[in-house]
Amino acid sequence: GRVTFFSIELVHPQTGNPLPVSQLEDQLRECIAMADSLPFSRKKLGLLTSQNRDDCARARQALLKAGGVTMEEALEKLESGAILLNLDDEAPVSRQECGELFWTGGLKSGENRWFDKSIQIMVTNNGKAGLIAEHSMMDGMPVINFANYMTSVTYGKAKRKSIQQKEKIVAIPNPTVHDIFGRALAACDPTLLEGLESKAWKAFQKLITDHVLHVQSFQGYGSTFIKQSGFPPDAFIQVGMQLATYRLFGEQVGTYEATQVRSFLHGRTEVTRGVSLESEAFVKRMSLRPKRDEGDPSVRQEKIALLRKATTAHAKYTSLAAKAQGVDRHLMGLSLLAEDGESLPDLYSDELYVRSKRWRSSTSNLSHPRFNLWGYGEVVPDGVGLAYAILPDSCVFNITALKVTAYTDKLAELLEEALLEMKELVAGSSSSTRSKL
């Protein structure tokens, strides 16, 4: 397809108020018409931003050197824009399709991105929408709040507001739709651009084909059942994830759960560590394969007691982490105090310490009634990314890993197995419980 970046006018230059929805629509239609008139051979500069940071920086310098002031102005125009809206020529239906498209764009729409942009919104032909947030500058809650506002203000509501407040929301004469890189590309050596794009495309193809994403849409239960059973929902699901990953890896592994510390000025995150003595006792008692021995009342009571201890311990750690009483950010801060050439204390090279913070299971919970899915990649090659949402009557897990590990399908199955086993444990082991699921 034709991948082109345009700039449009969003606000009135005098008042700073947004332009009427109808004028924004007109400008977007003009973008589409202009893109359709351009040749397919137009270089896809967005691919350069998909590379690792060093290669991306080098490609940017090469563009600036080749395109001079014209390229510098074009990059400034794109990078200073309030937001980037990507119109994808795709029509995803399932959570799986949406997950793959909105995560990376995939091999078809990945070129229709600028991955260095703080926030990109994607909209498809059939009205599905998603966003990519660049993590180094923001965490989950600001993105949730932003997306919450967008999904609260319907298109119809925005159009009505635009008309009702016509004394404030005023159109401008002849807004300019600008082909951002048009002149800059013409000033560059085509051979150089071809080389940059070809290198980036090969790396992007490998990145996409090496990874796999699997959506587990668990309909067994959600926060309502967990609360009614007397457990904190996030801790309950985290312990379920401990059981599932214990069965996947054959042992407990370093597990990271992002916890917000936004009660502090400039506060971002601390780690809640999912592995504890209490979670170890529970997963080992549940064993690497289901024993189905909860019919024995004494066994069931023992397992429920261990589950309660594990969830209580996890909830306590989360509470401490939210108050900046975790260990990981503190120890990271101390390590950063070391001067060049100064050796770190022995703790930092201790085998157990190093293994405990090698996050083979990287987890995070963002739950919202109007979001279908969210996620990210694994953080170590032999690990999994495990993003999840806990809704009143269901849970959604977005599992990512390198394809060669074959982890994602297995973990999706093991999550379902563990969560159903835990429901049977706390709700009673009658056959009616199982048949309802």
Side-chain angles (χ1 to χ4, degrees):
R2 300 171 178 85
V3 176
T4 313
F5 294 94
F6 298 99
S7 65
I8 67 171
E9 304 291 342
L10 282 178
V11 298
H12 197 287
Q14 270 78 52
T15 66
N17 290 328
L19 297 180
V21 171
S22 58
Q23 190 159 47
L24 298 177
E25 289 173 334
D26 289 343
Q27 291 183 87
L28 289 173
R29 288 191 193 98
E30 190 175 343
C31 290
I32 294 167
M34 288 172 69
D36 286 344
S37 69
L38 291 167
F40 278 99
S41 57
R42 171 70 76 99
K43 292 302 167 200
K44 302 172 178 69
L45 297 187
L47 280 171
L48 307 186
T49 67
S50 70
Q51 301 177 97
N52 71 59
R53 298 299 80 203
D54 291 344
D55 286 343
C56 178
R58 281 191 282 267
R60 190 177 189 279
Q61 287 305 115
L63 285 179
L64 287 168
K65 187 176 178 183
V69 175
T70 315
M71 182 61 76
E72 189 176 347
E73 289 172 350
L75 286 169
E76 169 63 21
K77 173 72 85 171
L78 190 148
E79 290 165 357
S80 64
I83 203 158
L84 182 61
L85 172 66
N86 304 321
L87 303 179
D88 285 348
D89 191 16
E90 300 206 37
V93 174
S94 68
R95 282 191 175 95
Q96 183 74 29
E97 289 175 313
C98 289
E100 290 171 357
L101 176 62
F102 296 147
W103 183 26
T104 63
L107 295 178
K108 182 178 177 185
S109 295
E111 60 197 23
N112 196 36
R113 302 282 185 272
W114 193 270
F115 289 107
D116 280 353
K117 200 69 183 151
S118 312
I119 290 184
Q120 303 181 76
I121 297 173
M122 292 77 69
V123 180
T124 66
N125 280 347
N126 60 341
K128 298 280 187 183
L131 68 84
I132 299 174
E134 206 287 300
H135 204 344
S136 64
M137 68 167 291
M138 72 189 88
D139 301 309
M141 285 315 295
V143 178
I144 276 271
N145 291 336
F146 175 62
N148 178 64
Y149 180 81
M150 283 196 297
T151 54
S152 301
V153 181
T154 64
Y155 201 79
K157 193 185 290 185
K159 292 189 86 164
R160 285 192 298 276
K161 188 175 180 181
S162 188
I163 295 164
Q164 289 162 0
Q165 300 186 8
K166 57 186 178 188
E167 70 286 346
K168 282 174 62 180
I169 301 177
V170 180
I172 57 174
N174 306 314
T176 306
V177 174
H178 179 60
D179 176 358
I180 294 176
F181 290 109
R183 287 176 54 238
L185 286 171
C188 292
D189 173 11
T191 308
L192 169 76
L193 294 175
E194 182 66 43
L196 290 173
E197 184 188 308
S198 175
K199 180 185 176 185
W201 175 239
K202 284 174 186 169
F204 185 69
Q205 276 185 304
K206 178 167 170 47
L207 191 66
I208 299 305
T209 53
D210 281 355
H211 281 83
V212 64
L213 174 152
H214 186 109
V215 180
Q216 167 58 280
S217 179
F218 176 73
Q219 300 299 311
Y221 56 90
S223 59
T224 303
F225 167 77
I226 300 171
K227 288 175 187 173
Q228 286 171 350
S229 303
F231 293 91
D234 184 70
F236 189 90
I237 295 298
Q238 277 283 336
V239 172
M241 286 156 56
Q242 277 299 309
L243 179 54
T245 51
Y246 172 65
R247 289 170 172 173
L248 176 70
F249 297 120
E251 61 180 353
Q252 283 186 284
V253 297
T255 304
Y256 178 115
E257 181 184 8
T259 300
Q260 302 283 327
V261 287
R262 285 171 58 76
S263 56
F264 295 90
L265 182 65
H266 306 310
R268 293 198 57 175
T269 63
E270 173 57 284
V271 183
T272 292
R273 288 174 167 240
V275 177
S276 63
L277 293 174
E278 292 84 358
S279 68
E280 180 199 27
F282 175 72
V283 301
K284 286 189 171 175
R285 183 63 183 88
M286 298 298 283
S287 84
L288 288 169
R289 278 167 292 281
K291 290 186 173 178
R292 306 291 183 206
D293 56 0
E294 293 83 6
D296 181 331
S298 63
V299 170
R300 187 149 69 87
Q301 288 310 311
E302 179 196 0
K303 288 183 175 181
I304 288 173
L306 290 172
L307 173 59
R308 198 164 296 283
K309 284 179 182 174
T311 55
T312 301
H314 190 90
K316 183 179 177 184
Y317 199 130
T318 304
S319 176
L320 287 169
K323 297 170 189 167
Q325 298 296 307
V327 298
D328 287 278
R329 298 295 180 259
H330 177 70
L331 289 168
M332 184 183 79
L334 289 175
S335 72
L336 293 173
L337 294 175
E339 302 288 339
D340 286 345
E342 187 180 355
S343 59
L344 289 168
D346 292 344
L347 168 68
Y348 290 92
S349 55
D350 182 88
E351 183 185 350
L352 179 60
Y353 175 75
V354 172
R355 184 160 64 91
S356 79
K357 65 191 301 294
R358 190 171 182 277
W359 311 118
R360 290 186 71 190
S361 181
S362 174
T363 79
S364 190
N365 171 11
L366 284 180
S367 303
H368 191 284
R370 287 189 296 275
F371 303 166
N372 267 338
L373 192 65
W374 77 286
Y376 47 83
E378 77 292 337
V379 298
V380 293
D382 57 344
V384 293
L386 189 45
Y388 62 104
I390 310 171
L391 302 173
D393 299 306
S394 62
C395 302
V396 183
F397 301 90
N398 195 53
I399 310 161
T400 56
L402 286 171
K403 190 179 292 182
V404 69
T405 64
Y407 286 154
T408 55
D409 285 7
K410 292 187 180 77
L411 184 52
E413 197 73 22
L414 290 168
L415 280 166
E416 183 175 48
E417 176 185 84
L419 292 174
L420 290 178
E421 203 176 340
M422 287 162 67
K423 175 171 184 177
E424 197 162 322
L425 189 62
V426 300
S429 56
S430 67
S431 59
S432 62
T433 308
R434 222 175 300 177
S435 65
K436 288 177 186 173
L437 302 173

